[in-house]
Amino acid sequence: MPLVLKQVFASLPQMERGVAKVIGGDPKGNNFLYTNGKCVIIRNVENPAIADIYTEHAHQVTVAKYAPSGFYIASGDASGKIRIWDTTQKEHMLKYEYTPISGKVKDIAWTEDSKRIAVVGDGREKFGAVFLWDSGSSVGEISGHAKLINSVDIRQKRPYRLATASDDTCSSFFEGPPFKFKFTLRDHSQFVNCIRFSPDGSRLVTAGADGQIFIYDGTTGELVGSLGGEKAHKGGIYAVSWGPDGSQLISASGDKTVKLWDVGAGTAVTTFNMGSDVTDQQLGCLWQKDHLLSISLSGYINYLDKNNPDRPIRTVKGHTKSIQCLTVHKGNGRSYIYSGKTGENDCFSGKGHSNQVSKMQADEANDLVTCSMDDTLRYTSLSKKEYSASDVVKMDSQPKSVSVSGGFTLAVCIGQLVLLKDKKKVFTLDNLGYEAEVGAIHPGGTTAAVGGNDAKVHLYSIQGSTLKDEGKTLEAKGAITDMAYSNDGAYLAVIDDKKVATAYSVADGYSVKNEFYGHHAKPVSLAWSPDNEHFATGGMDMMVYIWTIGDADKRVKLPDAHRLHHVSSLAWIDAHTLVTTSHDASVKQWTITY
């Protein structure tokens, strides 16, 4: 039963206020890359929906850069580790691994022959290193700074020059190889955030938190001038990127603008106004072929339009935090994937949940029903796609799970069960005598099943608008982590923290139909295929299994569905298409053939 990863919906860059984001570009001009959590994300610049994710770092990855050859990428993480890996194969085989500094890597630069690498950042004994890519042997010393180094670049022509920019307000100029410190550039009055040689090596640019941009001779390091007179930007500048011919560059600033400069004249040709919100601060930029990209504090990737500076050609949106849950809703003959996280959501206008969204489901009335750690249940119209305040139902305690069927919504909260109809509470059941974890309403709308950490499923009948405890329980192997009825109501599938999935046959008085073993760690999410014959489970072991209801031995395994991150939620688009999400903030779509 083969499985094909059809599509990856990549996460956005992970951003931090006041911290520059380095975006890498591939030498052919086709891709760009950035980091989020422990992942490096590679995206096609023409069609950013085409993405690839590298997940082999054990710590948070901070920067990634292509070798000029285009065959390798070097990525650095918060522990000082550098991984050099293959870009040409899907497996991204590791070529070399080094730990040149003892703290967070802030920037990486290659020599034009792809043989030497400079790495800078924070460290206990030194803030940078430069070494041979294939042996790790040192080819010089990066010295001359009193504080961490933010940025490094190497001139892409002989004679080689290396330059660094630091929080100590200085930049340093080196000659080599072997690279030796020559002198300090002391023109900035605050942190220097970015330093870059022009493509032809004739110029060197620095940008700082003081809002200034200085231009130097690329060979001698002599000051040539500054951009924009006294100041280039009203706020700190986080990044600069040269145009392909070296006559222009772009700069990204905390003043919420990106500027396009004529370097020879020292003047701004265009100012791109990116908005007025704090999340519109610009923390990164990349000029790739004819594409001008910038990254906002929100994580949004903006494609700038020289002809219309106040409106980007396109803005790539998505998730920047880990995804807790997702659901698939069919509308207008198409399937839409909705995924949940914290706070503002880009698919819907208005204010969303103020805390983590823990569960979501689409109901028959075309609403997306979500419950969150902000103690609310929210009904969001999928046709209007906006969060409207009228449809928020406050709970007495934090809701953990929500289930929708037959016009009813069942919310399992800490210490109580709440039944809702027409977006209003109609019944509350307290003093359950067990800790309820998750609920499911039978598609017929007559039974509610509630799973507890007492390793039991408690069955309630829905009579009128009340829940009646029928005194009937089903035994599971451990505390229940998720459960769901098949779409036709024939089966109830349950997973528990003892790593077992159990299917009960509803018509036979909930007798056990089959037990399914395979997860090595606690399974946490479950979803039925529309064919009612298969269901999928995802676990803390990073595995996803697809089980066949009639045959416990027939199973499909998606190993390492999201490398180093467990699968937090599952949903089916159709009988052969499964969608998974995870704490790596990505959504993946798989095609399954039985």
Side-chain angles (χ1 to χ4, degrees), residues 418-575:
V418 181
L419 190 66
L420 300 96
K421 196 175 169 77
D422 303 324
K423 305 180 188 176
K424 292 183 184 60
K425 290 189 196 179
V426 291
F427 191 74
T428 303
L429 199 58
D430 299 295
N431 308 326
L432 301 174
Y434 65 96
E435 182 66 53
E437 293 295 335
V438 60
I441 299 180
H442 188 271
T446 54
T447 307
V450 179
N453 65 3
D454 58 354
K456 291 185 172 68
V457 177
H458 301 255
L459 297 177
Y460 300 85
S461 59
I462 300 175
Q463 299 178 359
S465 295
T466 62
L467 286 174
K468 186 163 181 298
D469 187 347
E470 293 293 329
K472 183 169 169 62
T473 59
L474 313 174
E475 298 291 328
K477 297 282 188 274
I480 289 158
T481 56
D482 202 5
M483 58 195 258
Y485 281 101
S486 58
N487 305 302
D488 60 4
Y491 300 104
L492 174 68
V494 173
I495 47 176
D496 62 50
D497 68 359
K498 292 282 186 276
K499 311 189 273 271
V500 185
T502 311
Y504 303 89
S505 178
V506 175
D508 300 334
Y510 287 88
S511 62
V512 174
K513 170 80 174 169
N514 249 322
E515 288 175 354
F516 306 87
Y517 297 86
H519 281 288
H520 300 307
K522 177 169 81 169
V524 290
S525 56
L526 180 151
W528 276 93
S529 163
D531 67 9
N532 300 310
E533 305 271 313
H534 302 90
F535 65 94
T537 57
M540 299 298 272
D541 52 5
M542 300 170 220
M543 296 294 212
V544 172
Y545 285 99
I546 296 153
W547 310 97
T548 304
I549 186 74
D551 185 351
D553 299 325
K554 241 176 99 174
R555 62 183 195 192
V556 190
K557 183 164 137 190
L558 275 67
D560 289 342
H562 294 255
R563 287 276 299 151
L564 305 177
H565 299 80
H566 75 264
V567 172
S568 51
S569 191
L570 307 160
W572 294 81
I573 289 182
D574 56 44

Side-chain angles (χ1 to χ4, degrees), residues 52 174 189 371 373 445 486 574 579:
D52 192 7
F174 301 78
S189 59
C371 74
M373 289 185 178
S486 58
D574 56 44
V579 184

Side-chain angles (χ1 to χ4, degrees), residues 394-414:
K394 187 86 180 87
M395 296 287 150
D396 302 331
S397 63
Q398 184 180 308
K400 302 181 183 180
S401 153
V402 59
S403 170
V404 199
S405 195
F408 288 104
T409 302
L410 174 68
V412 174
C413 303
I414 294 173

